[in-house]
Every structure is written in C-alpha cells, then in structure tokens.
Coordinates of all heavy atoms in Angstrom, one line a residue:
K1 N -1.6 15.6 -5.2 CA -0.2 15.4 -4.6 C 0.0 16.4 -3.5 O -0.4 17.6 -3.7 CB 0.8 15.6 -5.8 CG 0.7 14.5 -6.8 CD 1.8 14.7 -7.7 CE 1.7 13.6 -8.9 NZ 2.7 13.7 -9.9
P2 N 0.7 16.0 -2.5 CA 1.0 17.0 -1.5 C 1.9 18.1 -2.0 O 2.9 17.8 -2.7 CB 1.7 16.2 -0.3 CG 1.3 14.8 -0.7 CD 1.0 14.7 -2.2
P3 N 1.7 19.4 -1.6 CA 2.5 20.5 -2.1 C 3.9 20.7 -1.5 O 4.7 21.2 -2.1 CB 1.6 21.7 -1.8 CG 0.7 21.3 -0.7 CD 0.6 19.8 -0.8
N4 N 4.1 20.0 -0.3 CA 5.4 20.2 0.2 C 5.9 19.1 1.1 O 5.0 18.1 1.2 CB 5.4 21.5 1.1 CG 4.4 21.4 2.2 OD1 4.2 20.4 2.8 ND2 3.7 22.5 2.5
D5 N 7.1 19.0 1.5 CA 7.7 17.9 2.3 C 6.8 17.6 3.5 O 6.7 16.4 3.8 CB 9.1 18.1 2.6 CG 10.0 17.9 1.4 OD1 9.5 17.4 0.4 OD2 11.2 18.4 1.5
T6 N 6.3 18.6 4.2 CA 5.6 18.4 5.4 C 4.3 17.6 5.1 O 3.9 16.6 5.8 CB 5.3 19.6 6.2 OG1 6.5 20.4 6.4 CG2 4.5 19.4 7.4
A7 N 3.6 18.0 4.1 CA 2.3 17.4 3.6 C 2.7 15.9 3.1 O 1.9 15.0 3.4 CB 1.7 18.1 2.6
K8 N 3.8 15.8 2.4 CA 4.2 14.4 2.0 C 4.5 13.5 3.2 O 4.0 12.3 3.1 CB 5.4 14.5 1.1 CG 5.2 15.0 -0.3 CD 6.5 15.0 -1.1 CE 6.3 15.6 -2.4 NZ 7.5 15.6 -3.2
K9 N 5.1 14.0 4.1 CA 5.4 13.2 5.3 C 4.2 12.8 6.1 O 4.0 11.7 6.5 CB 6.4 14.0 6.3 CG 6.9 13.2 7.4 CD 7.9 14.0 8.2 CE 8.4 13.3 9.4 NZ 9.3 14.0 10.3
A10 N 3.3 13.8 6.2 CA 2.0 13.5 6.9 C 1.1 12.4 6.1 O 0.6 11.5 6.7 CB 1.2 14.8 7.1
N11 N 1.1 12.6 4.8 CA 0.4 11.7 3.9 C 1.0 10.3 4.1 O 0.3 9.3 4.1 CB 0.5 12.2 2.5 CG -0.5 11.6 1.6 OD1 -1.5 11.0 2.1 ND2 -0.3 11.5 0.4
A12 N 2.4 10.2 4.1 CA 3.0 8.9 4.2 C 2.7 8.3 5.6 O 2.5 7.0 5.6 CB 4.5 9.1 4.1
K13 N 2.7 9.0 6.6 CA 2.4 8.5 8.0 C 0.9 8.0 8.0 O 0.7 6.9 8.5 CB 2.6 9.6 9.0 CG 4.1 9.7 9.3 CD 4.2 10.7 10.5 CE 5.7 10.9 10.8 NZ 5.9 11.7 12.0
N14 N 0.1 8.7 7.4 CA -1.4 8.3 7.3 C -1.5 7.1 6.5 O -2.4 6.2 6.7 CB -2.3 9.4 6.8 CG -2.4 10.5 7.7 OD1 -2.3 10.3 8.9 ND2 -2.7 11.7 7.2
G15 N -0.7 6.8 5.5 CA -0.7 5.7 4.6 C -0.4 4.4 5.3 O -0.8 3.4 4.9
R16 N 0.3 4.5 6.5 CA 0.7 3.3 7.2 C -0.6 2.6 7.7 O -0.6 1.4 7.8 CB 1.5 3.6 8.4 CG 2.9 4.0 8.0 CD 3.9 4.2 9.2 NE 3.5 5.4 9.9 CZ 4.2 6.0 10.8 NH1 5.5 5.5 11.1 NH2 3.9 7.1 11.4
I17 N -1.7 3.3 8.0 CA -2.9 2.7 8.3 C -3.4 1.7 7.3 O -3.8 0.6 7.6 CB -4.0 3.7 8.6 CG1 -3.6 4.6 9.8 CG2 -5.3 3.2 8.9 CD1 -4.4 5.9 10.0
Y18 N -3.4 2.1 6.0 CA -3.7 1.3 4.9 C -2.9 0.1 4.7 O -3.3 -1.0 4.4 CB -3.9 2.1 3.7 CG -5.0 3.1 3.7 CD1 -4.8 4.4 4.2 CD2 -6.2 2.8 3.3 CE1 -5.8 5.3 4.2 CE2 -7.3 3.7 3.3 CZ -7.1 5.0 3.8 OH -8.1 5.8 3.8
I19 N -1.6 0.3 4.9 CA -0.6 -0.8 4.8 C -0.8 -1.8 5.9 O -0.8 -3.0 5.6 CB 0.9 -0.3 4.8 CG1 1.1 0.6 3.5 CG2 1.8 -1.4 4.8 CD1 2.4 1.4 3.5
I20 N -1.1 -1.4 7.1 CA -1.4 -2.3 8.1 C -2.7 -3.1 7.8 O -2.7 -4.4 7.9 CB -1.6 -1.7 9.5 CG1 -0.2 -1.1 9.9 CG2 -2.2 -2.5 10.5 CD1 -0.3 -0.1 11.1
R21 N -3.6 -2.5 7.2 CA -4.9 -3.2 6.9 C -4.6 -4.2 5.8 O -5.1 -5.4 5.7 CB -5.9 -2.2 6.4 CG -7.3 -2.7 6.2 CD -8.3 -1.7 6.0 NE -9.4 -2.3 5.4 CZ -10.1 -1.7 4.5 NH1 -9.9 -0.5 4.1 NH2 -11.1 -2.3 3.9
L22 N -3.7 -3.8 4.8 CA -3.4 -4.8 3.7 C -2.6 -5.9 4.3 O -2.8 -7.0 3.9 CB -2.5 -3.9 2.7 CG -2.1 -4.6 1.4 CD1 -3.4 -4.8 0.6 CD2 -1.1 -3.7 0.7
H23 N -1.7 -5.6 5.2 CA -0.9 -6.7 5.8 C -1.7 -7.7 6.6 O -1.4 -8.9 6.6 CB 0.2 -6.1 6.7 CG 1.0 -7.1 7.5 ND1 1.9 -7.9 6.9 CD2 1.1 -7.4 8.7 CE1 2.5 -8.6 7.8 NE2 2.0 -8.4 8.9
K24 N -2.7 -7.2 7.3 CA -3.6 -8.0 8.2 C -4.6 -8.8 7.4 O -5.3 -9.7 7.9 CB -4.2 -7.2 9.2 CG -3.3 -6.7 10.3 CD -4.0 -6.0 11.4 CE -3.1 -5.7 12.5 NZ -3.9 -5.1 13.6
A25 N -4.7 -8.6 6.0 CA -5.8 -9.3 5.3 C -5.4 -10.8 5.3 O -4.3 -11.2 4.9 CB -5.8 -8.8 3.9
R26 N -6.4 -11.6 5.8 CA -6.1 -13.0 5.9 C -6.9 -13.8 4.8 O -6.6 -15.0 4.7 CB -6.5 -13.5 7.2 CG -5.8 -12.9 8.4 CD -4.3 -13.3 8.3 NE -3.6 -12.6 9.4 CZ -2.5 -12.0 9.2 NH1 -2.0 -11.8 8.0 NH2 -1.8 -11.4 10.2
T27 N -7.8 -13.1 4.1 CA -8.6 -13.9 3.0 C -8.4 -13.0 1.8 O -8.0 -11.8 1.8 CB -10.0 -14.0 3.4 OG1 -10.6 -12.7 3.4 CG2 -10.2 -14.8 4.8
L28 N -8.7 -13.7 0.6 CA -8.7 -12.9 -0.6 C -9.6 -11.8 -0.7 O -9.3 -10.7 -1.2 CB -9.0 -13.9 -1.8 CG -9.0 -13.3 -3.2 CD1 -7.6 -12.6 -3.5 CD2 -9.3 -14.5 -4.2
D29 N -10.8 -11.9 0.0 CA -11.8 -10.9 0.0 C -11.3 -9.7 0.9 O -11.4 -8.4 0.4 CB -13.1 -11.3 0.6 CG -13.9 -12.2 -0.4 OD1 -13.6 -12.1 -1.5 OD2 -14.8 -13.0 0.1
Q30 N -10.7 -9.9 2.0 CA -10.1 -8.9 2.8 C -9.0 -8.1 2.0 O -8.9 -6.9 2.1 CB -9.6 -9.4 4.1 CG -10.6 -9.9 5.0 CD -10.0 -10.5 6.3 OE1 -8.9 -10.9 6.3 NE2 -10.9 -10.8 7.3
F31 N -8.1 -8.9 1.3 CA -7.0 -8.4 0.6 C -7.6 -7.4 -0.6 O -7.1 -6.3 -0.7 CB -6.1 -9.4 0.0 CG -5.1 -9.0 -0.9 CD1 -4.0 -8.3 -0.3 CD2 -5.2 -9.1 -2.2 CE1 -3.0 -7.9 -1.2 CE2 -4.2 -8.6 -3.1 CZ -3.1 -8.0 -2.6
T32 N -8.6 -7.9 -1.2 CA -9.2 -7.1 -2.3 C -9.8 -5.9 -1.8 O -9.5 -4.8 -2.4 CB -10.2 -8.0 -3.0 OG1 -9.6 -9.2 -3.5 CG2 -10.8 -7.3 -4.2
E33 N -10.5 -6.0 -0.7 CA -11.1 -4.8 -0.1 C -10.0 -3.7 0.3 O -10.1 -2.5 0.1 CB -12.0 -5.1 1.1 CG -13.2 -5.8 0.8 CD -14.0 -6.2 2.0 OE1 -13.6 -5.9 3.1 OE2 -14.9 -7.1 1.8
A34 N -8.9 -4.2 1.0 CA -7.9 -3.3 1.4 C -7.1 -2.7 0.1 O -6.8 -1.5 0.2 CB -6.9 -4.1 2.2
L35 N -6.9 -3.5 -0.9 CA -6.3 -3.0 -2.1 C -7.1 -1.9 -2.8 O -6.6 -1.0 -3.2 CB -6.0 -4.2 -3.0 CG -5.2 -3.9 -4.3 CD1 -3.8 -3.4 -3.9 CD2 -5.0 -5.1 -5.1
I36 N -8.4 -2.1 -2.9 CA -9.3 -1.2 -3.5 C -9.3 0.1 -2.7 O -9.3 1.3 -3.3 CB -10.8 -1.8 -3.6 CG1 -10.7 -2.9 -4.7 CG2 -11.8 -0.7 -4.0 CD1 -12.0 -3.7 -4.7
S37 N -9.4 0.0 -1.4 CA -9.3 1.2 -0.6 C -8.1 2.1 -0.8 O -8.2 3.3 -0.9 CB -9.6 0.9 0.9 OG -8.5 0.3 1.5
I38 N -6.9 1.4 -0.9 CA -5.7 2.1 -1.2 C -5.7 2.8 -2.6 O -5.3 3.9 -2.7 CB -4.5 1.1 -1.1 CG1 -4.3 0.7 0.4 CG2 -3.2 1.7 -1.6 CD1 -3.3 -0.3 0.7
M39 N -6.3 2.0 -3.5 CA -6.3 2.5 -4.9 C -7.1 3.8 -5.0 O -6.8 4.7 -5.6 CB -6.8 1.4 -5.8 CG -5.8 0.2 -6.1 SD -6.5 -1.1 -6.9 CE -7.0 -0.5 -8.4
K40 N -8.3 3.8 -4.2 CA -9.2 4.9 -4.2 C -8.6 6.0 -3.5 O -8.6 7.2 -4.0 CB -10.5 4.6 -3.6 CG -11.4 3.6 -4.5 CD -12.7 3.4 -3.9 CE -13.6 2.5 -4.6 NZ -14.8 2.2 -3.9
K41 N -8.0 5.8 -2.3 CA -7.4 6.9 -1.5 C -6.2 7.6 -2.2 O -6.1 8.8 -2.1 CB -7.0 6.3 -0.1 CG -6.2 7.3 0.8 CD -7.2 8.3 1.4 CE -6.3 9.1 2.4 NZ -7.1 10.2 2.9
Y42 N -5.4 6.8 -2.8 CA -4.2 7.4 -3.4 C -4.1 7.5 -4.8 O -3.0 7.7 -5.4 CB -3.0 6.6 -2.8 CG -2.8 6.9 -1.2 CD1 -3.3 5.9 -0.4 CD2 -2.3 8.0 -0.8 CE1 -3.3 6.1 1.0 CE2 -2.3 8.3 0.6 CZ -2.7 7.3 1.5 OH -2.6 7.5 2.8
S43 N -5.2 7.2 -5.5 CA -5.3 7.2 -7.0 C -4.1 6.4 -7.6 O -3.5 6.8 -8.5 CB -5.2 8.7 -7.4 OG -6.3 9.4 -6.9
I44 N -4.1 5.2 -7.0 CA -3.1 4.2 -7.6 C -3.8 3.2 -8.5 O -4.9 2.8 -8.2 CB -2.4 3.4 -6.5 CG1 -1.6 4.4 -5.6 CG2 -1.6 2.3 -7.0 CD1 -1.1 3.8 -4.3
S45 N -3.2 3.0 -9.6 CA -3.9 2.0 -10.5 C -3.0 0.7 -10.5 O -1.8 0.7 -10.5 CB -4.0 2.5 -11.9 OG -2.9 2.8 -12.5
V46 N -3.7 -0.4 -10.6 CA -3.1 -1.7 -10.7 C -3.6 -2.4 -12.0 O -4.8 -2.3 -12.2 CB -3.4 -2.6 -9.5 CG1 -2.8 -4.0 -9.6 CG2 -2.9 -2.0 -8.1
S47 N -2.7 -2.9 -12.7 CA -3.1 -3.5 -14.0 C -4.3 -4.5 -13.8 O -4.2 -5.3 -12.9 CB -1.9 -4.1 -14.7 OG -2.2 -5.4 -15.2
N48 N -5.2 -4.5 -14.8 CA -6.3 -5.4 -14.7 C -5.8 -6.8 -14.9 O -6.4 -7.8 -14.2 CB -7.3 -5.1 -15.8 CG -8.2 -4.0 -15.5 OD1 -8.4 -3.7 -14.3 ND2 -8.8 -3.4 -16.5
E49 N -4.7 -7.1 -15.6 CA -4.1 -8.4 -15.7 C -3.7 -8.9 -14.3 O -3.9 -10.1 -14.1 CB -3.0 -8.4 -16.7 CG -2.3 -9.7 -17.0 CD -1.2 -9.6 -17.9 OE1 -0.9 -8.6 -18.5 OE2 -0.5 -10.6 -18.1
I50 N -3.1 -8.1 -13.6 CA -2.6 -8.5 -12.2 C -3.9 -8.8 -11.3 O -3.9 -9.8 -10.7 CB -1.8 -7.4 -11.6 CG1 -0.4 -7.3 -12.4 CG2 -1.5 -7.7 -10.1 CD1 0.4 -6.2 -11.9
L51 N -4.8 -7.9 -11.3 CA -6.0 -8.1 -10.4 C -6.7 -9.3 -10.8 O -7.2 -10.0 -10.0 CB -6.9 -6.9 -10.6 CG -6.4 -5.5 -10.0 CD1 -7.4 -4.4 -10.3 CD2 -6.1 -5.7 -8.5
E52 N -6.9 -9.6 -12.1 CA -7.6 -10.8 -12.5 C -6.9 -12.1 -12.3 O -7.5 -13.1 -12.1 CB -7.9 -10.7 -14.0 CG -8.9 -9.6 -14.4 CD -8.9 -9.4 -16.0 OE1 -8.2 -10.0 -16.7 OE2 -9.8 -8.6 -16.3
N53 N -5.6 -12.0 -12.1 CA -4.8 -13.2 -11.8 C -4.6 -13.4 -10.3 O -3.9 -14.4 -10.0 CB -3.5 -13.2 -12.6 CG -3.7 -13.5 -14.0 OD1 -4.4 -14.4 -14.4 ND2 -3.2 -12.5 -14.8
I54 N -5.1 -12.6 -9.4 CA -4.9 -12.8 -8.0 C -5.9 -13.8 -7.6 O -7.2 -13.6 -7.9 CB -5.1 -11.6 -7.2 CG1 -4.0 -10.6 -7.6 CG2 -5.0 -11.8 -5.7 CD1 -4.1 -9.2 -7.0
N55 N -5.6 -14.9 -6.9 CA -6.5 -16.0 -6.5 C -6.2 -16.4 -5.1 O -5.2 -15.9 -4.6 CB -6.6 -17.1 -7.4 CG -5.3 -17.7 -7.7 OD1 -4.6 -18.0 -6.7 ND2 -4.8 -18.0 -9.0
K56 N -7.0 -17.3 -4.6 CA -6.7 -17.7 -3.2 C -5.4 -18.5 -3.0 O -4.9 -18.5 -1.9 CB -7.9 -18.5 -2.7 CG -8.0 -19.9 -3.4 CD -9.2 -20.6 -2.8 CE -9.3 -22.0 -3.5 NZ -10.3 -22.9 -2.9
D57 N -4.8 -19.0 -4.1 CA -3.6 -19.7 -4.0 C -2.3 -18.7 -4.0 O -1.3 -19.1 -3.5 CB -3.4 -20.7 -5.1 CG -4.5 -21.7 -5.1 OD1 -4.8 -22.1 -3.9 OD2 -5.0 -22.2 -6.1
N58 N -2.5 -17.6 -4.6 CA -1.3 -16.7 -4.7 C -1.5 -15.4 -4.1 O -0.5 -14.6 -4.0 CB -0.9 -16.5 -6.2 CG -2.0 -15.7 -7.0 OD1 -2.9 -15.1 -6.4 ND2 -1.8 -15.6 -8.2
F59 N -2.6 -15.1 -3.4 CA -2.8 -13.8 -2.9 C -1.8 -13.4 -1.7 O -1.4 -12.3 -1.5 CB -4.2 -13.5 -2.5 CG -4.5 -13.8 -1.0 CD1 -4.4 -12.8 -0.1 CD2 -5.0 -15.1 -0.7 CE1 -4.7 -13.0 1.3 CE2 -5.4 -15.3 0.7 CZ -5.2 -14.3 1.6
I60 N -1.4 -14.4 -1.0 CA -0.4 -14.2 0.1 C 0.9 -13.7 -0.5 O 1.5 -12.7 0.1 CB -0.2 -15.5 0.9 CG1 -1.4 -16.1 1.5 CG2 1.0 -15.3 1.8 CD1 -1.9 -15.2 2.7
T61 N 1.4 -14.3 -1.5 CA 2.6 -13.8 -2.2 C 2.4 -12.4 -2.7 O 3.3 -11.5 -2.6 CB 3.0 -14.8 -3.4 OG1 3.2 -16.0 -2.8 CG2 4.3 -14.3 -4.0
V62 N 1.3 -12.1 -3.4 CA 1.0 -10.8 -3.9 C 0.9 -9.7 -2.7 O 1.4 -8.7 -2.9 CB -0.3 -10.8 -4.8 CG1 -0.7 -9.4 -5.2 CG2 -0.2 -11.7 -6.0
R63 N 0.3 -10.2 -1.7 CA 0.1 -9.3 -0.5 C 1.5 -9.0 0.1 O 1.7 -7.8 0.4 CB -0.7 -10.0 0.6 CG -0.9 -9.2 1.8 CD -1.5 -9.9 3.0 NE -0.5 -10.8 3.4 CZ -0.7 -11.8 4.4 NH1 -2.0 -12.0 4.8 NH2 0.2 -12.6 4.7
Q64 N 2.4 -9.9 0.2 CA 3.7 -9.6 0.7 C 4.5 -8.7 -0.2 O 5.1 -7.7 0.2 CB 4.5 -10.9 0.9 CG 4.0 -11.8 1.9 CD 4.6 -13.2 2.0 OE1 5.1 -13.7 0.9 NE2 4.5 -13.9 3.1
Y65 N 4.4 -8.9 -1.5 CA 5.0 -8.0 -2.5 C 4.4 -6.6 -2.3 O 5.1 -5.6 -2.3 CB 4.8 -8.5 -3.9 CG 5.4 -7.7 -4.9 CD1 6.8 -7.7 -5.2 CD2 4.6 -6.8 -5.7 CE1 7.4 -6.9 -6.2 CE2 5.2 -6.0 -6.7 CZ 6.6 -6.1 -6.9 OH 7.1 -5.3 -7.9
A66 N 3.1 -6.5 -2.3 CA 2.5 -5.1 -2.1 C 2.8 -4.4 -0.8 O 3.1 -3.2 -0.9 CB 1.0 -5.3 -2.2
V67 N 2.9 -5.1 0.2 CA 3.3 -4.5 1.5 C 4.7 -4.0 1.4 O 5.0 -2.9 1.8 CB 3.1 -5.5 2.6 CG1 3.7 -5.0 4.0 CG2 1.6 -5.7 2.9
I68 N 5.6 -4.8 0.9 CA 7.0 -4.4 0.8 C 7.2 -3.2 -0.1 O 7.9 -2.2 0.3 CB 7.9 -5.6 0.3 CG1 7.9 -6.7 1.4 CG2 9.3 -5.1 -0.1 CD1 8.6 -8.0 0.9
G69 N 6.5 -3.3 -1.2 CA 6.6 -2.1 -2.1 C 6.0 -0.8 -1.4 O 6.6 0.3 -1.6
A70 N 4.9 -0.9 -0.8 CA 4.3 0.2 -0.1 C 5.2 0.8 1.0 O 5.4 1.9 1.2 CB 2.9 -0.1 0.5
L71 N 5.8 -0.2 1.8 CA 6.7 0.3 2.9 C 8.0 0.9 2.3 O 8.4 1.9 2.9 CB 7.1 -0.9 3.8 CG 6.0 -1.4 4.7 CD1 6.4 -2.7 5.4 CD2 5.6 -0.4 5.7
N72 N 8.4 0.4 1.2 CA 9.6 1.1 0.6 C 9.2 2.5 0.1 O 10.1 3.4 0.3 CB 10.1 0.3 -0.7 CG 10.9 -0.9 -0.3 OD1 11.5 -1.0 0.8 ND2 10.9 -1.9 -1.1
G73 N 8.1 2.7 -0.4 CA 7.7 4.0 -0.8 C 7.5 5.0 0.4 O 8.0 6.2 0.3
I74 N 6.9 4.5 1.4 CA 6.8 5.4 2.6 C 8.1 5.7 3.3 O 8.4 6.8 3.6 CB 5.8 4.7 3.7 CG1 4.4 4.9 3.2 CG2 6.0 5.2 5.0 CD1 3.3 4.2 4.0
N75 N 9.0 4.7 3.4 CA 10.3 4.9 4.0 C 11.1 5.9 3.1 O 11.9 6.6 3.7 CB 11.0 3.6 4.1 CG 10.4 2.7 5.2 OD1 9.8 3.2 6.2 ND2 10.7 1.4 5.2
Y76 N 11.0 5.8 1.8 CA 11.7 6.8 1.0 C 11.2 8.2 1.3 O 12.1 9.1 1.5 CB 11.4 6.5 -0.5 CG 12.1 7.5 -1.4 CD1 13.4 7.5 -1.6 CD2 11.3 8.5 -2.0 CE1 14.0 8.4 -2.5 CE2 11.8 9.4 -2.8 CZ 13.2 9.4 -3.1 OH 13.8 10.4 -3.8
I77 N 9.9 8.4 1.4 CA 9.3 9.8 1.7 C 9.9 10.2 3.1 O 10.3 11.4 3.3 CB 7.9 9.8 1.7 CG1 7.3 9.5 0.3 CG2 7.3 11.1 2.1 CD1 7.7 10.5 -0.8
L78 N 9.7 9.3 4.1 CA 10.1 9.7 5.4 C 11.5 10.0 5.6 O 12.1 10.9 6.3 CB 9.6 8.6 6.4 CG 8.1 8.6 6.5 CD1 7.6 7.4 7.5 CD2 7.4 9.8 6.9
S79 N 12.4 9.1 4.9 CA 13.8 9.4 5.1 C 14.3 10.5 4.3 O 15.2 11.3 4.7 CB 14.6 8.1 4.6 OG 14.5 7.9 3.2
S80 N 13.6 10.9 3.2 CA 13.9 12.1 2.4 C 13.7 13.3 3.2 O 14.4 14.3 3.2 CB 13.1 12.1 1.1 OG 13.5 11.0 0.2
S81 N 12.6 13.3 3.9 CA 12.2 14.5 4.7 C 13.1 14.7 5.9 O 13.4 15.8 6.3 CB 10.7 14.4 5.1 OG 10.5 13.4 5.9
K82 N 13.6 13.6 6.4 CA 14.5 13.7 7.5 C 15.9 14.3 7.1 O 16.5 15.1 7.8 CB 14.8 12.3 8.2 CG 13.7 11.8 9.1 CD 13.9 10.5 9.6 CE 12.8 9.9 10.5 NZ 13.2 8.7 11.0
K83 N 16.3 13.9 5.8 CA 17.6 14.5 5.3 C 17.5 15.9 5.1 O 18.4 16.7 5.1 CB 17.9 13.7 4.0 CG 18.3 12.3 4.3 CD 18.7 11.7 2.9 CE 19.0 10.2 3.1 NZ 19.2 9.5 1.9
N84 N 16.2 16.4 4.8 CA 16.0 17.8 4.4 C 15.8 18.6 5.7 O 15.9 19.9 5.6 CB 14.8 18.0 3.5 CG 15.0 17.4 2.1 OD1 16.2 17.3 1.7 ND2 14.0 17.0 1.5
D85 N 15.6 18.0 6.8 CA 15.4 18.8 8.2 C 16.7 19.4 8.6 O 17.8 19.0 8.3 CB 14.8 17.9 9.2 CG 13.3 17.5 8.9 OD1 12.7 18.2 8.0 OD2 12.8 16.7 9.5

C-alpha cells in the first residue's frame, strides 16, 4: 500500500493505464488477460464464482461494471488528495 497521499495519487494515475486496457478489451480473452494483470499488479482478488461465470455473452456487462468500479476508486483517491492540497 502506498505510504502517503502523493504515492496514492501516483498509483491511481498509473492505474488508469490498466483501466484503459480493460475498457478496450473486445473479446473474452482480452478481458481475462486485462483482469488478471490488474489482479496481479494491485493484489486484487475476484471471487472464483464470478470468474467462472464470465462468458462471451456477459463479459461486456461485467467489463462495464469493472471499469465503472475502478474509475470510482481512482476518482475517490484523486479527489481526496485534491481536497487535502
């Protein structure tokens, strides 16, 4: 975990690269690769039940939900650090 607000802000800005990759995933394989890289980079775990139920018919919906959730997290960090400045 980043030790201070500056490190958290830098980490959040770097996280945008991963979110863009997740957003640009057009196939289930691309989405899975992007999700795995985010999970490894940020030590995030996703329930096996969710992972096993992602398929070519629903991955677009899951992708949209994941991108919105990730953006909310990043925006929270970035807006919190602006308030503290």
Side-chain angles (χ1 to χ4, degrees):
K1 293 181 180 178
N4 58 41
D5 284 342
T6 304
K8 284 182 184 179
K9 186 176 179 181
N11 197 23
K13 285 184 177 182
N14 290 334
R16 289 189 288 196
I17 295 166
Y18 291 90
I19 294 172
I20 290 168
R21 190 169 159 216
L22 190 66
H23 176 69
K24 288 186 173 184
R26 298 293 178 236
T27 65
L28 179 56
D29 288 339
Q30 289 174 348
F31 174 74
T32 303
E33 289 174 12
L35 189 59
I36 289 170
S37 68
I38 290 171
M39 290 169 58
K40 286 180 181 177
K41 173 74 175 172
Y42 294 100
S43 300
I44 297 170
S45 63
V46 177
S47 136
N48 283 338
E49 182 180 352
I50 292 171
L51 293 175
E52 290 169 358
N53 287 309
I54 299 173
N55 58 48
K56 65 179 183 175
D57 297 325
N58 68 6
F59 93 89
I60 298 290
T61 303
V62 174
R63 182 190 68 189
Q64 290 170 338
Y65 179 79
V67 168
I68 290 169
L71 288 173
N72 283 338
I74 285 178
N75 288 337
Y76 175 77
I77 296 293
L78 294 176
S79 69
S80 296
S81 61
K82 284 182 182 177
K83 289 178 185 175
N84 293 335
D85 289 346

